[in-house]
Coordinates of all heavy atoms in Angstrom, one line a residue:
M1 N -132.6 -32.3 242.0 CA -132.3 -33.7 242.2 C -132.7 -34.5 240.9 O -133.8 -34.3 240.4 CB -133.0 -34.3 243.4 CG -132.8 -35.8 243.6 SD -133.9 -36.5 244.8 CE -133.7 -35.4 246.2
V2 N -131.8 -35.3 240.4 CA -132.1 -36.1 239.2 C -132.4 -37.5 239.7 O -131.6 -38.1 240.4 CB -131.0 -36.0 238.2 CG1 -131.2 -36.9 237.0 CG2 -130.7 -34.6 237.8
L3 N -133.5 -38.1 239.2 CA -133.8 -39.5 239.5 C -133.8 -40.2 238.2 O -134.3 -39.7 237.1 CB -135.2 -39.6 240.1 CG -135.4 -39.0 241.5 CD1 -136.8 -39.3 242.0 CD2 -134.4 -39.5 242.5
G4 N -133.3 -41.4 238.2 CA -133.4 -42.3 237.0 C -134.4 -43.4 237.2 O -134.5 -43.9 238.3
F5 N -135.0 -43.8 236.1 CA -136.0 -44.9 236.2 C -135.7 -45.9 235.1 O -135.6 -45.6 233.9 CB -137.4 -44.4 236.0 CG -137.9 -43.5 237.0 CD1 -137.8 -42.2 236.9 CD2 -138.5 -44.1 238.2 CE1 -138.2 -41.3 238.0 CE2 -138.9 -43.2 239.2 CZ -138.8 -41.9 239.1
D6 N -135.6 -47.2 235.5 CA -135.5 -48.3 234.5 C -136.9 -48.6 234.1 O -137.8 -47.8 234.3 CB -134.8 -49.5 235.2 CG -134.4 -50.5 234.2 OD1 -134.4 -50.3 233.0 OD2 -134.1 -51.7 234.6
T7 N -137.1 -49.8 233.5 CA -138.4 -50.2 233.1 C -138.8 -51.4 234.0 O -138.0 -51.9 234.7 CB -138.4 -50.6 231.6 OG1 -139.8 -50.8 231.2 CG2 -137.6 -51.8 231.3
G8 N -140.0 -51.8 233.9 CA -140.5 -53.0 234.7 C -141.5 -52.5 235.7 O -141.7 -51.3 235.9
S9 N -142.0 -53.5 236.5 CA -143.1 -53.1 237.4 C -142.6 -52.3 238.6 O -143.3 -51.4 239.1 CB -143.7 -54.4 238.0 OG -142.8 -55.2 238.7
T10 N -141.3 -52.5 239.0 CA -140.8 -51.7 240.1 C -140.7 -50.2 239.7 O -141.2 -49.3 240.5 CB -139.4 -52.2 240.5 OG1 -139.5 -53.6 240.8 CG2 -138.8 -51.4 241.7
A11 N -140.2 -49.9 238.6 CA -140.1 -48.5 238.1 C -141.5 -48.0 237.9 O -141.8 -46.8 238.2 CB -139.3 -48.5 236.8
A12 N -142.4 -48.8 237.3 CA -143.8 -48.4 237.0 C -144.5 -48.0 238.3 O -145.2 -46.9 238.4 CB -144.6 -49.4 236.3
H13 N -144.5 -48.8 239.3 CA -145.1 -48.5 240.6 C -144.5 -47.2 241.2 O -145.2 -46.4 241.8 CB -145.0 -49.7 241.6 CG -145.8 -50.9 241.2 ND1 -147.2 -50.8 240.9 CD2 -145.5 -52.2 241.0 CE1 -147.6 -52.0 240.6 NE2 -146.6 -52.8 240.6
S14 N -143.2 -47.1 241.1 CA -142.5 -45.9 241.7 C -143.0 -44.7 240.9 O -143.3 -43.6 241.6 CB -141.0 -46.1 241.5 OG -140.5 -47.2 242.2
L15 N -143.1 -44.7 239.6 CA -143.5 -43.6 238.8 C -145.0 -43.2 239.2 O -145.3 -42.0 239.4 CB -143.5 -43.9 237.3 CG -142.2 -43.7 236.6 CD1 -142.3 -44.2 235.2 CD2 -141.8 -42.3 236.6
D16 N -145.8 -44.2 239.4 CA -147.2 -43.9 239.8 C -147.3 -43.2 241.1 O -148.0 -42.3 241.3 CB -148.0 -45.2 239.8 CG -148.4 -45.8 238.4 OD1 -148.3 -45.0 237.4 OD2 -148.6 -47.0 238.3
R17 N -146.5 -43.7 242.1 CA -146.5 -43.1 243.4 C -145.9 -41.7 243.3 O -146.5 -40.7 244.0 CB -145.6 -44.0 244.4 CG -145.6 -43.4 245.7 CD -146.9 -43.4 246.5 NE -146.7 -42.9 247.8 CZ -147.6 -42.1 248.4 NH1 -148.7 -41.7 247.8 NH2 -147.4 -41.7 249.6
I18 N -144.8 -41.5 242.6 CA -144.3 -40.1 242.5 C -145.3 -39.2 241.8 O -145.4 -38.1 242.2 CB -142.9 -40.2 241.7 CG1 -141.9 -40.8 242.7 CG2 -142.5 -38.8 241.2 CD1 -140.5 -41.1 242.0
G19 N -145.9 -39.7 240.7 CA -147.0 -38.9 240.1 C -148.1 -38.5 241.0 O -148.5 -37.3 241.0
D20 N -148.5 -39.4 241.9 CA -149.5 -39.1 242.9 C -149.1 -38.0 243.8 O -149.8 -37.0 244.1 CB -149.9 -40.3 243.7 CG -150.7 -41.3 243.0 OD1 -151.3 -41.0 242.0 OD2 -150.8 -42.5 243.5
L21 N -147.8 -38.1 244.3 CA -147.3 -37.1 245.2 C -147.1 -35.7 244.5 O -147.4 -34.7 245.1 CB -145.9 -37.6 245.7 CG -145.9 -38.8 246.7 CD1 -144.5 -39.3 246.9 CD2 -146.7 -38.5 247.9
I22 N -146.7 -35.7 243.3 CA -146.5 -34.4 242.5 C -147.9 -33.8 242.4 O -148.1 -32.6 242.6 CB -145.9 -34.7 241.2 CG1 -144.4 -35.0 241.3 CG2 -146.0 -33.4 240.3 CD1 -143.7 -35.4 240.0
H23 N -148.9 -34.6 241.9 CA -150.2 -34.0 241.6 C -151.0 -33.6 242.9 O -151.8 -32.7 242.8 CB -151.0 -35.0 240.8 CG -150.3 -35.3 239.4 ND1 -149.9 -34.3 238.6 CD2 -150.0 -36.5 238.8 CE1 -149.3 -34.9 237.5 NE2 -149.4 -36.2 237.7
R24 N -150.6 -34.2 244.0 CA -151.3 -33.7 245.3 C -150.5 -32.6 245.9 O -150.8 -32.1 247.0 CB -151.4 -34.9 246.2 CG -152.4 -36.0 245.8 CD -152.9 -36.8 246.9 NE -151.8 -37.3 247.8 CZ -151.5 -38.6 248.0 NH1 -152.2 -39.5 247.4 NH2 -150.5 -38.9 248.8
G25 N -149.4 -32.2 245.3 CA -148.6 -31.1 245.8 C -147.7 -31.5 247.0 O -147.2 -30.6 247.7
E26 N -147.5 -32.8 247.2 CA -146.7 -33.3 248.3 C -145.2 -33.5 247.9 O -144.4 -33.8 248.8 CB -147.3 -34.5 248.9 CG -148.6 -34.3 249.5 CD -149.3 -35.6 250.0 OE1 -148.5 -36.5 250.3 OE2 -150.5 -35.7 250.0
L27 N -144.9 -33.3 246.7 CA -143.5 -33.5 246.2 C -143.4 -32.4 245.1 O -144.2 -32.2 244.3 CB -143.4 -34.9 245.5 CG -142.0 -35.2 245.0 CD1 -141.0 -35.3 246.2 CD2 -142.0 -36.5 244.3
A28 N -142.2 -31.7 245.2 CA -142.0 -30.6 244.3 C -141.9 -31.1 242.9 O -141.4 -32.2 242.6 CB -140.7 -29.9 244.6
R29 N -142.5 -30.3 242.0 CA -142.5 -30.7 240.6 C -141.1 -30.5 240.0 O -140.5 -29.5 240.0 CB -143.5 -29.9 239.8 CG -143.7 -30.3 238.4 CD -144.9 -29.5 237.8 NE -145.2 -30.0 236.5 CZ -146.0 -31.0 236.2 NH1 -146.6 -31.6 237.2 NH2 -146.2 -31.4 235.0
R30 N -140.5 -31.6 239.6 CA -139.1 -31.6 239.1 C -139.1 -32.2 237.8 O -140.1 -32.7 237.3 CB -138.2 -32.3 240.1 CG -138.2 -31.8 241.5 CD -136.9 -31.0 241.8 NE -136.8 -30.8 243.2 CZ -136.9 -29.6 243.7 NH1 -137.3 -28.6 243.0 NH2 -136.8 -29.4 245.0
H31 N -137.9 -32.3 237.2 CA -137.8 -33.1 236.0 C -137.1 -34.4 236.3 O -136.1 -34.5 237.0 CB -137.0 -32.3 235.0 CG -137.7 -31.1 234.4 ND1 -137.8 -29.9 235.1 CD2 -138.5 -31.0 233.4 CE1 -138.6 -29.1 234.4 NE2 -139.0 -29.7 233.4
W32 N -137.6 -35.5 235.7 CA -137.1 -36.8 236.0 C -136.6 -37.4 234.7 O -137.0 -37.1 233.6 CB -138.3 -37.7 236.5 CG -139.1 -37.0 237.6 CD1 -140.1 -36.2 237.4 CD2 -138.8 -36.9 239.0 NE1 -140.6 -35.6 238.6 CE2 -139.8 -36.1 239.6 CE3 -137.9 -37.6 239.8 CZ2 -139.8 -35.9 240.9 CZ3 -137.9 -37.3 241.1 CH2 -138.9 -36.5 241.7
D33 N -135.6 -38.3 234.9 CA -135.0 -38.8 233.7 C -135.3 -40.3 233.6 O -134.9 -41.1 234.4 CB -133.4 -38.8 233.9 CG -132.9 -37.3 233.7 OD1 -133.7 -36.5 233.2 OD2 -131.8 -37.1 233.9
P34 N -136.1 -40.7 232.6 CA -136.3 -42.1 232.3 C -135.1 -42.7 231.6 O -134.4 -42.0 230.8 CB -137.5 -42.0 231.4 CG -137.3 -40.8 230.6 CD -136.7 -39.8 231.6
Y35 N -134.9 -43.9 231.8 CA -133.8 -44.6 231.0 C -134.3 -45.1 229.7 O -133.5 -45.2 228.7 CB -133.3 -45.8 231.8 CG -132.5 -45.5 233.0 CD1 -132.3 -46.4 234.0 CD2 -131.9 -44.2 233.2 CE1 -131.6 -46.1 235.2 CE2 -131.1 -43.9 234.3 CZ -131.0 -44.9 235.3 OH -130.2 -44.6 236.4
L36 N -135.5 -45.5 229.6 CA -136.0 -46.3 228.5 C -137.3 -45.7 227.9 O -138.1 -45.1 228.7 CB -136.2 -47.7 228.8 CG -134.9 -48.4 229.4 CD1 -135.3 -49.7 230.0 CD2 -134.0 -48.6 228.2
T37 N -137.6 -45.9 226.7 CA -138.8 -45.3 226.1 C -140.1 -45.8 226.7 O -141.0 -45.0 226.8 CB -138.8 -45.6 224.6 OG1 -138.7 -47.0 224.3 CG2 -137.7 -44.9 223.8
E38 N -140.2 -47.0 227.2 CA -141.4 -47.5 227.8 C -141.7 -46.7 229.1 O -142.8 -46.3 229.3 CB -141.2 -49.0 228.2 CG -142.4 -49.6 228.9 CD -142.0 -51.0 229.4 OE1 -141.4 -51.7 228.6 OE2 -142.4 -51.3 230.5
T39 N -140.6 -46.4 229.8 CA -140.8 -45.6 231.0 C -141.1 -44.2 230.7 O -141.9 -43.5 231.4 CB -139.5 -45.7 231.9 OG1 -139.3 -47.1 232.2 CG2 -139.6 -45.0 233.2
E40 N -140.4 -43.7 229.6 CA -140.7 -42.3 229.2 C -142.2 -42.1 228.8 O -142.8 -41.1 229.2 CB -139.8 -42.0 228.0 CG -140.0 -40.5 227.5 CD -139.1 -40.2 226.3 OE1 -138.3 -41.1 225.9 OE2 -139.1 -39.1 225.9
A41 N -142.8 -43.1 228.1 CA -144.2 -43.0 227.7 C -145.1 -43.1 229.0 O -146.1 -42.3 229.1 CB -144.5 -44.2 226.8
H42 N -144.7 -43.9 229.9 CA -145.5 -44.0 231.2 C -145.5 -42.7 231.9 O -146.5 -42.1 232.3 CB -144.9 -45.1 232.0 CG -145.7 -45.4 233.3 ND1 -145.5 -46.5 234.0 CD2 -146.5 -44.6 234.0 CE1 -146.3 -46.5 235.1 NE2 -146.9 -45.3 235.1
A43 N -144.3 -42.1 232.1 CA -144.1 -40.8 232.8 C -144.9 -39.7 232.1 O -145.6 -38.9 232.7 CB -142.6 -40.5 232.9
S44 N -144.8 -39.7 230.8 CA -145.6 -38.7 230.0 C -147.1 -38.8 230.2 O -147.8 -37.8 230.4 CB -145.2 -38.7 228.5 OG -143.9 -38.4 228.3
A45 N -147.5 -40.1 230.2 CA -149.0 -40.3 230.4 C -149.5 -39.9 231.7 O -150.7 -39.5 231.8 CB -149.2 -41.8 230.2
I46 N -148.7 -39.9 232.7 CA -149.2 -39.4 234.0 C -148.6 -38.0 234.4 O -148.6 -37.6 235.5 CB -148.9 -40.4 235.2 CG1 -147.4 -40.7 235.3 CG2 -149.7 -41.7 234.9 CD1 -147.1 -41.6 236.5
D47 N -148.1 -37.3 233.3 CA -147.7 -35.9 233.4 C -146.6 -35.7 234.4 O -146.6 -34.7 235.2 CB -148.9 -35.0 233.8 CG -148.7 -33.6 233.5 OD1 -147.9 -33.3 232.6 OD2 -149.3 -32.7 234.2
I48 N -145.6 -36.5 234.4 CA -144.3 -36.3 235.1 C -143.4 -35.6 234.1 O -143.1 -36.2 233.1 CB -143.8 -37.6 235.7 CG1 -144.7 -38.1 236.8 CG2 -142.4 -37.3 236.3 CD1 -144.2 -39.5 237.4
P49 N -142.8 -34.4 234.5 CA -141.9 -33.8 233.6 C -140.6 -34.5 233.4 O -140.1 -35.1 234.4 CB -141.7 -32.4 234.2 CG -142.0 -32.6 235.6 CD -143.1 -33.7 235.7
L50 N -140.1 -34.5 232.2 CA -138.9 -35.4 231.9 C -137.8 -34.5 231.3 O -138.0 -33.5 230.7 CB -139.3 -36.4 230.8 CG -140.4 -37.4 231.2 CD1 -140.8 -38.2 230.0 CD2 -140.0 -38.2 232.4
N51 N -136.6 -35.0 231.6 CA -135.4 -34.4 231.0 C -134.7 -35.6 230.3 O -135.1 -36.7 230.4 CB -134.4 -33.9 232.0 CG -134.7 -32.4 232.3 OD1 -135.3 -31.7 231.5 ND2 -134.2 -31.9 233.4
D52 N -133.6 -35.3 229.6 CA -132.8 -36.4 229.1 C -131.5 -36.5 229.9 O -131.0 -35.5 230.4 CB -132.6 -36.3 227.6 CG -131.4 -35.4 227.2 OD1 -130.3 -35.8 227.6 OD2 -131.6 -34.4 226.5
L53 N -131.0 -37.7 230.0 CA -129.8 -38.0 230.9 C -128.6 -37.2 230.5 O -127.8 -36.8 231.3 CB -129.5 -39.5 230.9 CG -130.3 -40.3 231.8 CD1 -130.0 -41.8 231.6 CD2 -130.0 -39.9 233.3
G54 N -128.5 -36.9 229.2 CA -127.3 -36.2 228.7 C -127.2 -34.8 229.2 O -126.1 -34.2 229.2
S55 N -128.3 -34.2 229.7 CA -128.2 -32.9 230.2 C -127.8 -32.7 231.6 O -127.8 -31.7 232.2 CB -129.5 -32.1 229.9 OG -130.6 -32.8 230.6
H56 N -127.5 -33.9 232.3 CA -127.2 -33.8 233.7 C -125.9 -34.6 234.0 O -125.6 -35.6 233.4 CB -128.3 -34.5 234.5 CG -129.6 -33.8 234.4 ND1 -129.9 -32.6 235.1 CD2 -130.7 -34.1 233.7 CE1 -131.1 -32.2 234.7 NE2 -131.6 -33.1 233.9
P57 N -125.1 -34.0 234.9 CA -123.8 -34.7 235.2 C -123.9 -36.0 236.0 O -123.0 -36.8 236.0 CB -123.1 -33.6 236.1 CG -124.1 -32.8 236.7 CD -125.3 -32.8 235.7
G58 N -125.0 -36.2 236.7 CA -125.1 -37.4 237.5 C -126.5 -37.6 237.9 O -127.3 -36.7 238.0
V59 N -126.8 -38.9 238.3 CA -128.2 -39.2 238.8 C -128.1 -39.4 240.3 O -127.2 -40.2 240.8 CB -128.6 -40.5 238.1 CG1 -130.0 -41.0 238.7 CG2 -128.7 -40.3 236.6
F60 N -129.0 -38.8 241.1 CA -129.0 -38.9 242.5 C -129.4 -40.3 243.0 O -128.8 -40.9 243.9 CB -129.9 -37.8 243.1 CG -130.0 -37.9 244.6 CD1 -129.0 -37.5 245.4 CD2 -131.2 -38.4 245.2 CE1 -129.1 -37.5 246.8 CE2 -131.3 -38.5 246.5 CZ -130.3 -38.1 247.4
L61 N -130.5 -40.8 242.4 CA -131.0 -42.1 242.7 C -131.6 -42.7 241.5 O -132.2 -42.1 240.7 CB -132.2 -41.9 243.7 CG -132.9 -43.1 244.1 CD1 -132.1 -44.1 245.0 CD2 -134.2 -42.7 244.9
S62 N -131.3 -44.0 241.3 CA -131.8 -44.8 240.2 C -132.8 -45.8 240.7 O -132.4 -46.5 241.7 CB -130.6 -45.5 239.5 OG -131.2 -46.3 238.4
I63 N -134.0 -45.9 240.2 CA -135.0 -46.8 240.6 C -135.1 -48.0 239.6 O -135.3 -47.8 238.4 CB -136.3 -46.2 240.8 CG1 -136.2 -45.1 241.9 CG2 -137.4 -47.2 241.2 CD1 -137.4 -44.3 242.2
N64 N -134.8 -49.2 240.1 CA -134.7 -50.3 239.2 C -135.1 -51.6 240.0 O -134.9 -51.6 241.2 CB -133.2 -50.5 238.8 CG -133.0 -51.4 237.6 OD1 -133.9 -52.2 237.3 ND2 -131.9 -51.2 236.9
G65 N -135.7 -52.5 239.3 CA -136.1 -53.8 240.0 C -135.0 -54.8 239.9 O -134.0 -54.6 239.3
S66 N -135.2 -55.9 240.6 CA -134.2 -57.0 240.6 C -134.9 -58.2 240.0 O -136.2 -58.4 240.0 CB -133.8 -57.3 242.0 OG -133.0 -58.5 242.0
N67 N -134.2 -59.1 239.3 CA -134.7 -60.3 238.7 C -134.8 -61.4 239.7 O -135.7 -62.3 239.6 CB -134.0 -60.7 237.5 CG -134.1 -59.6 236.4 OD1 -133.1 -58.9 236.2 ND2 -135.2 -59.5 235.8
E68 N -133.9 -61.5 240.7 CA -134.0 -62.5 241.7 C -133.5 -62.0 243.0 O -132.6 -61.1 243.0 CB -133.1 -63.7 241.3 CG -133.6 -64.5 240.2 CD -132.6 -65.7 239.9 OE1 -132.1 -66.3 240.8 OE2 -132.5 -66.0 238.7
V69 N -134.0 -62.5 244.1 CA -133.5 -62.2 245.5 C -133.2 -63.5 246.2 O -134.1 -64.4 246.2 CB -134.5 -61.4 246.3 CG1 -133.9 -61.0 247.7 CG2 -134.9 -60.1 245.5
D70 N -132.0 -63.8 246.7 CA -131.7 -65.0 247.4 C -132.0 -64.9 248.9 O -132.4 -63.8 249.4 CB -130.3 -65.5 247.1 CG -129.2 -64.7 247.7 OD1 -129.5 -63.9 248.6 OD2 -128.0 -64.9 247.3
L71 N -131.8 -65.9 249.6 CA -132.1 -65.9 251.1 C -131.2 -64.9 251.9 O -131.6 -64.5 253.0 CB -132.0 -67.3 251.6 CG -133.1 -68.3 251.1 CD1 -132.8 -69.7 251.7 CD2 -134.5 -67.8 251.5
G72 N -130.1 -64.6 251.3 CA -129.2 -63.6 251.9 C -129.5 -62.2 251.5 O -128.7 -61.3 251.8
L73 N -130.6 -62.0 250.8 CA -131.1 -60.7 250.3 C -130.1 -60.1 249.3 O -130.0 -58.9 249.1 CB -131.3 -59.7 251.5 CG -132.4 -60.1 252.5 CD1 -132.6 -59.0 253.5 CD2 -133.7 -60.4 251.7
N74 N -129.4 -61.0 248.6 CA -128.5 -60.5 247.5 C -129.4 -60.4 246.2 O -130.3 -61.3 246.0 CB -127.4 -61.5 247.2 CG -126.5 -61.7 248.4 OD1 -125.9 -60.7 248.7 ND2 -126.4 -62.9 248.9
L75 N -129.3 -59.3 245.5 CA -130.2 -59.1 244.4 C -129.4 -59.5 243.1 O -128.2 -59.2 243.0 CB -130.5 -57.6 244.3 CG -131.2 -57.0 245.6 CD1 -131.5 -55.6 245.4 CD2 -132.5 -57.8 245.9
V76 N -130.1 -60.1 242.2 CA -129.5 -60.5 240.9 C -130.2 -59.8 239.8 O -131.5 -59.8 239.7 CB -129.6 -62.1 240.7 CG1 -129.1 -62.5 239.4 CG2 -128.9 -62.8 241.9
K77 N -129.5 -59.3 238.8 CA -130.0 -58.6 237.6 C -129.6 -59.5 236.4 O -128.6 -60.2 236.4 CB -129.4 -57.3 237.4 CG -129.7 -56.2 238.5 CD -131.1 -55.8 238.4 CE -131.4 -55.0 237.0 NZ -132.8 -54.7 236.9
G78 N -130.5 -59.4 235.4 CA -130.1 -60.0 234.1 C -130.4 -61.4 233.9 O -129.9 -62.0 232.9
R79 N -131.3 -62.0 234.7 CA -131.6 -63.4 234.4 C -133.1 -63.6 234.1 O -133.7 -64.6 234.4 CB -131.3 -64.3 235.7 CG -129.8 -64.4 235.9 CD -129.6 -65.5 237.0 NE -128.1 -65.6 237.2 CZ -127.6 -66.2 238.2 NH1 -128.3 -66.8 239.1 NH2 -126.3 -66.3 238.3
S80 N -133.6 -62.5 233.5 CA -135.1 -62.6 233.2 C -135.4 -63.3 231.9 O -136.5 -63.4 231.5 CB -135.6 -61.2 233.1 OG -134.9 -60.4 232.1
G81 N -134.4 -63.9 231.2 CA -134.7 -64.7 230.0 C -134.3 -64.1 228.8 O -133.7 -63.1 228.6
Ligands
LIG101 O1 -134.0 -54.9 234.7 C1 -135.2 -54.7 234.5 C2 -135.6 -54.3 233.2 O2 -134.5 -54.1 232.3 C3 -136.2 -54.9 235.5 O3 -135.9 -53.9 236.5 C4 -136.2 -56.2 236.1 O4 -136.4 -57.2 235.1 C5 -137.2 -56.4 237.2 O5 -138.5 -56.2 236.7 P1 -139.7 -55.9 237.6 O6 -139.5 -54.6 238.3 O7 -140.9 -55.9 236.7 O8 -139.8 -57.1 238.6

């Protein structure tokens, strides 16, 4: 399974949690694909094995934050300034 990670606090918290699960043996050690160098550095620092996106045909799940959420629970990207 290939997971993708964007950058930001949502991706960072997700990486930390996945790192905890891997290091406690509760999640199989796999290779994860970061989208951005900031996320790559974070994953390396907590010893999550990485691949590059070019070596996989598709991403099973992408973890990304939203910049805004309205009352209808619609998520908005790209308005962070
Ligand atoms: O799109 C992003 C970065 O390109 C972030 O996911 C978005 O800005 C939300 O950030 P955060 O998870 O820190 O609230």
